[in-house]
Amino acid sequence: GRCTLPSGHGRAAGQSSFGTVPDGRTLLVCKKKSRRDWNEQRGYGCAWVWIALASQSRLIVAWLAADHKLDACRTFLQTLKERLRDIPLYMSDELGHYERVLWEIYRTVGGELPKEPPSPAIRAAEVDPLLDYARIVKTRKHHIVVKVDHDVMYGDPKRIEARLAGAKINTSYVERFNLTLRQNNRNLGRRSLFFSKKMKDFAARVDIFVAYYNLVRLHSTLKQVVGGRNVAVTPAQAAGLCPNRWTITDLLATPSI
């Protein structure tokens, strides 16, 4: 499987991608004009949305609204790991937190974690041998991407190539979901009068949209044969989590979602 993560993003179950919405940019909570650091106690400042998306099914496996720091990455990736049956191929952008946290949660050496992480070579030797993690590194010049490199951080490059099955290391699916989320949530829009006054309310809005996206919204690129013809299905159907598309009534009648 693959799981993708952008700057704060991820893909799961076959592949997994990671990333932050919107593309490494910030969500302003309470303050519209001031780019303040996130204040957990007061609940305002610059916050990010971390997203993990399963590339084959487009299912949103995990998400988190928080700051862009190491502890938030730990919470996000630990939540993602608990929701996966096995170890996917992780793919992300160049955010350094991912490499460190994946080493922490897939570390096979006993004992407490050292205060300072060891060298990359030692970290690679200590993680689960089944862990595969690759990332893309974009070089920009005057805010324009001029070069894209691919780095294998953990795992066997040949095994990663086989798991990709002809695809490339990328975070395209999760970046496209960022656009979908932005289009459906005015608080994430650029140059907009809208902004979030409370993190709790913003998180609830994203919760509702993610449930709608996974269970109700048909995905035009996901097809299943029904009655002898290809029909569009939801990410949850594509992932095998439910046999039928949910309705809005089904969603509202299930508050635990």
Side-chain angles (χ1 to χ4, degrees):
R2 292 177 277 179
C3 189
T4 317
L5 323 169
S7 313
H9 294 56
R11 293 189 277 192
Q15 305 171 7
S16 191
S17 308
F18 314 135
T20 51
V21 174
D23 297 331
R25 298 179 185 273
T26 58
L27 156 74
L28 296 178
V29 180
C30 185
K31 296 291 184 180
K32 179 62 179 176
K33 296 182 180 179
S34 176
R35 291 180 60 84
R36 300 190 178 194
D37 289 337
W38 176 249
N39 187 312
E40 185 66 37
Q41 293 181 341
R42 295 186 178 184
Y44 67 73
C46 295
W48 278 255
V49 180
W50 303 67
I51 298 288
L53 179 145
S55 60
Q56 288 102 332
S57 65
R58 313 296 196 271
L59 185 78
I60 302 302
V61 184
W63 78 273
L64 174 68
D67 58 29
H68 211 214
K69 297 181 181 178
L70 185 61
D71 285 342
C73 187
R74 288 188 176 112
T75 301
F76 171 64
L77 288 185
Q78 187 60 47
T79 300
L80 174 61
K81 181 176 182 289
E82 292 169 357
R83 295 179 180 179
L84 299 173
R85 290 189 298 267
D86 32 17
I87 304 176
L89 164 57
Y90 290 99
M91 293 184 284
S92 78
D93 64 8
E94 64 267 28
L95 183 69
H97 295 336
Y98 293 129
E99 180 188 3
R100 176 168 177 174
V101 176
L102 287 173
W103 163 70
E104 292 177 356
I105 64 179
Y106 285 104
R107 187 168 174 258
T108 58
V109 179
E112 296 184 358
L113 288 171
K115 292 183 179 180
E116 294 296 329
S119 67
I122 294 177
R123 292 201 297 270
E126 291 182 348
V127 298
D128 190 315
L130 297 179
L131 173 64
D132 290 329
Y133 168 50
R135 68 183 184 182
I136 62 171
V137 179
K138 296 179 181 180
T139 303
R140 293 177 173 84
K141 187 175 182 180
H142 304 300
H143 306 290
I144 298 175
V145 176
V146 295
K147 184 180 180 183
V148 178
D149 294 314
H150 305 88
D151 295 336
V152 174
M153 310 308 296
Y154 299 129
D156 181 8
K158 292 185 178 179
R159 185 174 64 200
I160 291 176
E161 184 178 356
R163 297 180 76 172
L164 286 169
K168 294 182 179 180
I169 298 169
N170 70 88
T171 56
S172 299
Y173 293 125
V174 75
E175 290 168 4
R176 181 59 182 84
F177 174 78
N178 288 349
L179 174 60
T180 300
L181 179 59
R182 188 192 299 281
Q183 289 175 326
N184 287 271
N185 191 330
R186 295 291 297 277
N187 293 2
L188 288 171
R190 295 190 178 100
R191 298 182 180 180
S192 168
L193 295 176
F194 293 84
F195 65 100
S196 296
K197 295 183 179 180
K198 295 181 180 179
M199 176 59 80
K200 180 180 178 181
D201 294 343
F202 171 76
R205 293 182 66 173
V206 178
D207 271 335
I208 293 171
F209 179 74
V210 168
Y212 170 80
Y213 176 88
N214 282 339
L215 297 164
V216 182
R217 185 178 183 272
L218 295 176
H219 202 295
S220 61
T221 64
L222 299 175
K223 304 287 186 179
Q224 287 184 355
V225 178
V226 178
R229 61 192 184 92
N230 288 329
V231 297
V233 296
T234 66
Q237 287 176 279
L241 298 180
C242 59
N244 302 310
R245 176 193 181 190
W246 283 31
T247 64
I248 292 293
T249 302
D250 295 331
L251 186 63
L252 295 178
T254 313
S256 60
I257 298 295

